[in-house]
Amino acid sequence: MINNVVDGDISSIPADAMVVGLFEGDKITADVISCVDKALDGEINKLIGNGEFKAKHSESSVIHTLGKLPVRLVVILGLGKRKEFSPDKLRNAVAEICRLLRKLNCQKITMAPIGSDVKGITIADSAKLIAEACILGLYNFDKYKKSEEKAIDEITLVTEDSSRLSELSNAVSKGVTIAEAANIARDMVNEPANFMTPGNIVEVAEKIAEKHNLQLKVLDVTDMQDLGMGALLGVAKGSIEPPKLIILQYHGDESSAETIGFIGKGVTFDSGGISLKPSKGMGDMKGDMSGAAAVLGAVNGIAGLKLKINVTAIVPAVENLPSGTAYRPADILKSMSGKTIEVISTDAEGRLILADALSYALKMKLNPLIDLATLTGACLVALGTEYAGAFSNNKKLIADVIQSADNAGEHLWQLPLAQEYKELNKSQIADIKNVGGSYAGAITAALFLAEFTDNKPWVHLDIAGVASSDKEKGYVVKGATGFGVRTLIEFASLSSKEGGKYEN
Ligand code: BES
Ligand code: ZN
Ligand code: ZN
């Protein structure tokens, strides 16, 4: 879709629409936009002069060229104030404009490297960000219902500087790889639970492994029994769908013995089990495998970028349903770690499956560990739909993860792994219980997970509030957001450059 970069004069290239950017308060001086303005007999200047177009962020004006240029439409895209600009502002504005042009039935679009040379954004950064924005913003899940709008076939980035062609096409293909990785996760999450069973997640992992020639290991029930994964097996008991533990390995750095572990909660449907959820909104729980989708999408992206790093994704995949064979409140489960867990609620299943997945990650000596999970409604209550909760036992690691999220335009907010609340998880009859009471639910869930990390460097991201969106805004569309994929790719990229070692 956005596949090519060409050099030349954007005003001479035929297309349905051409997009140029403008900052608030900027004069139209000697650059791309002034050539276009001249060809349009000063129309853009008039729009600004009479106050019709103020170049506010994401504001746009569509001008019909009436044959004065080889494009049907010229679109000026407002970028807001220069001093408030950021990479994410660029992504959001470009995504919005792409969707507008799709509505206007444009199939072929040319675009200048909008928003470059501002706030440290280089022309290559701009190319990468534009590519990401186009692919993320135009995403729709139309597998089961064809959308009425025609897809945009081609977005061409046009540079005046022919010496930078290959640099810019590299940047574009990076952006494409990253955004496509997020869209893999979005596809998985948008699939309903009857088409995204644990077995279907395995199929996705198989496709990724095949495409990039990665090692894939899938544990089934008997393997889990041999390993003593009583927590994961307990959750699985209510469903006829057999649980899977997926281990997908990318080896990009033969010279290193270190491997990062990404662990993703893969509950393909969370009905709550015997502690059944209310029916209102229960369908949203098809997205309870968003963590799994994020870690698999990220590995696909990291392999696509050929980053010099080793990464292993671990996905416990299971369906949480009530039935005559389901696990119950008050059951005691014996986890792989040896710790026994009293089940207070069968709806606090995420922490149970992650406990065994973390033990498996420790057995594989992965370091650091980063888990992503739609773990608690409490996190949604605390931080809303824009910020994921972040917990860690290692200062440098969490700083690096937050930095990575920042680069990706994904918001994390650190919450305390408050030792004062550890006692809330104490059980009368087992080593620990799976619910810590009604207060600080996101924290007690994180403290529960911490018990299974052997105090190795670890970050837990509670993505319950951010994994899906009920509105369209910038490059976020309705449905799955793909949250976490781009943060994890950024983190792998940062680690590949800095060789980040973490010790506790
Ligand atoms: N999958 C849910 C958490 C969730 C809630 C994700 C809302 C996305 C949106 C999780 O398994 C769950 O049910 N957690 C319970 C825990 C409670 C029983 C301690 C919750 O948050 O209510
Ligand atoms: Zn649950
Ligand atoms: Zn859940």
Side-chain angles (χ1 to χ4, degrees):
M1 188 211 326
I2 173 157
N3 36 18
N4 41 352
V5 183
V6 300
D7 65 316
D9 171 11
I10 194 169
S11 58
S12 66
I13 301 173
D16 293 311
M18 165 206 309
V19 183
V20 290
L22 196 66
F23 285 98
E24 221 176 304
D26 273 12
K27 292 269 172 302
I28 296 179
T29 50
D31 71 347
V32 176
I33 203 160
S34 87
C35 303
V36 176
D37 190 43
K38 267 189 208 122
L40 295 174
D41 305 325
E43 189 61 28
I44 303 178
N45 246 324
K46 265 183 250 163
L47 286 173
I48 297 168
N50 62 27
E52 199 181 319
F53 183 74
K54 299 189 179 62
K56 297 248 183 265
H57 180 254
S58 281
E59 183 188 0
S60 57
S61 184
V62 177
I63 305 168
H64 291 259
T65 64
L66 307 176
K68 290 173 191 161
L69 284 166
V71 292
R72 175 160 61 90
L73 308 172
V74 165
V75 181
I76 349 171
L77 173 59
L79 300 173
K81 293 195 174 68
R82 280 181 179 260
K83 62 174 192 304
E84 289 171 5
F85 200 55
S86 67
D88 222 38
K89 286 244 162 98
L90 179 55
R91 287 191 193 96
N92 281 320
V94 169
E96 296 272 1
I97 210 70
C98 285
R99 278 199 302 273
L100 174 69
L101 292 175
R102 181 170 61 191
K103 278 201 195 88
L104 298 177
N105 199 27
C106 295
Q107 268 88 62
K108 205 168 169 323
I109 295 167
T110 52
M111 213 178 272
I114 297 162
S116 56
D117 299 327
V118 182
K119 298 278 258 181
I121 300 172
T122 65
I123 189 164
D125 294 336
S126 150
K128 171 175 172 264
L129 293 165
I130 288 172
E132 277 183 39
C134 294
I135 292 187
L136 292 170
L138 289 171
Y139 172 86
N140 51 21
F141 185 68
D142 57 3
K143 194 172 162 190
Y144 299 103
K145 179 181 192 283
K146 283 279 164 265
S147 86
E148 279 137 35
E149 288 162 0
K150 262 202 212 150
I152 294 178
D153 311 319
E154 201 179 281
I155 301 174
T156 305
L157 195 71
V158 185
T159 169
E160 290 173 305
D161 184 353
S162 63
S163 71
R164 309 193 76 161
L165 261 184
S166 74
E167 182 194 357
L168 295 191
S169 32
N170 277 340
V172 164
S173 68
K174 245 192 202 171
V176 169
T177 303
I178 293 169
E180 282 178 347
N183 285 350
I184 289 180
R186 287 173 167 186
D187 274 342
M188 291 175 72
V189 173
N190 285 329
E191 284 286 356
N194 58 330
F195 288 117
M196 194 47 63
T197 62
N200 294 128
I201 297 189
V202 170
E203 285 170 22
V204 173
E206 279 168 352
K207 279 206 190 105
I208 295 171
E210 212 169 294
K211 187 163 69 194
H212 299 289
N213 200 15
L214 311 182
Q215 268 170 275
L216 174 68
K217 192 162 149 183
V218 180
L219 305 189
D220 60 20
V221 170
T222 50
D223 302 314
M224 294 173 201
Q225 282 164 344
D226 292 346
L227 287 160
M229 294 182 160
L232 176 53
L233 285 166
V235 175
K237 273 176 64 187
S239 172
I240 52 164
E241 295 294 341
K244 305 283 175 189
L245 188 85
I246 301 164
I247 302 118
L248 181 63
Q249 296 179 273
Y250 167 69
H251 274 281
D253 186 4
E254 295 299 337
S255 71
S256 165
E258 298 277 317
T259 303
I260 304 173
F262 293 159
I263 298 113
K265 173 178 174 182
V267 174
T268 60
F269 191 74
D270 182 13
S271 69
I274 296 292
S275 313
L276 194 64
K277 286 182 181 294
S279 63
K280 187 169 178 281
M282 195 197 275
D284 293 345
M285 286 302 124
K286 71 171 184 176
D288 211 21
M289 32 59 71
S290 296
V295 302
L296 294 178
V299 168
N300 185 78
I302 290 161
L305 294 172
K306 301 193 164 59
L307 295 183
K308 191 166 185 288
I309 192 90
N310 302 321
V311 178
T312 294
I314 298 187
V315 170
V318 62
E319 186 176 40
N320 188 23
L321 292 184
S323 79
T325 58
Y327 80 134
R328 330 155 180 75
D331 279 1
I332 292 178
L333 304 176
K334 194 157 188 222
S335 68
M336 177 176 169
S337 70
K339 289 193 169 118
T340 54
I341 306 165
E342 180 190 1
V343 177
I344 302 297
S345 168
T346 62
D347 196 13
E349 82 299 337
R351 65 198 78 182
L352 297 173
I353 68 168
L354 287 169
D356 281 343
L358 285 165
S359 295
Y360 196 83
L362 291 177
K363 185 175 129 90
M364 288 186 75
K365 301 210 174 344
L366 306 179
N367 178 24
L369 303 175
I370 303 179
D371 83 70
L372 283 85
T374 45
L375 202 64
T376 67
C379 193
L380 177 59
V381 172
L383 298 177
T385 56
E386 298 281 346
Y387 281 74
F391 300 83
S392 184
N393 56 13
N394 186 292
K395 282 214 169 89
K396 180 178 184 324
L397 176 59
I398 189 135
D400 286 350
V401 171
I402 289 175
Q403 176 64 56
S404 306
D406 230 40
N407 295 346
E410 296 184 319
H411 304 306
L412 298 182
W413 195 260
Q414 187 175 1
L415 296 174
L417 206 51
Q419 299 304 306
E420 294 83 348
Y421 298 151
K422 244 179 93 164
E423 62 180 31
L424 297 175
N425 285 332
K426 277 198 178 140
S427 160
Q428 290 294 314
I429 57 166
D431 295 325
I432 193 166
K433 58 186 168 77
N434 78 335
V435 175
S438 33
Y439 298 145
I443 297 174
T444 52
L447 286 166
F448 180 97
L449 297 181
E451 288 302 308
F452 298 87
T453 60
D454 203 13
N455 199 33
K456 294 287 185 302
W458 156 75
V459 162
H460 158 58
L461 303 182
D462 192 331
I463 60 170
V466 295
S468 292
S469 172
D470 56 13
K471 49 181 194 287
E472 183 177 272
K473 189 177 155 211
Y475 57 84
V476 171
V477 295
K478 277 187 191 173
T481 59
F483 189 101
V485 172
R486 292 176 307 110
T487 292
L488 292 179
I489 296 175
E490 284 287 339
F491 179 79
S493 163
L494 186 80
S495 306
S496 73
K497 284 174 206 145
E498 293 184 358
K501 276 230 166 93
Y502 304 95
E503 275 165 37
N504 273 351

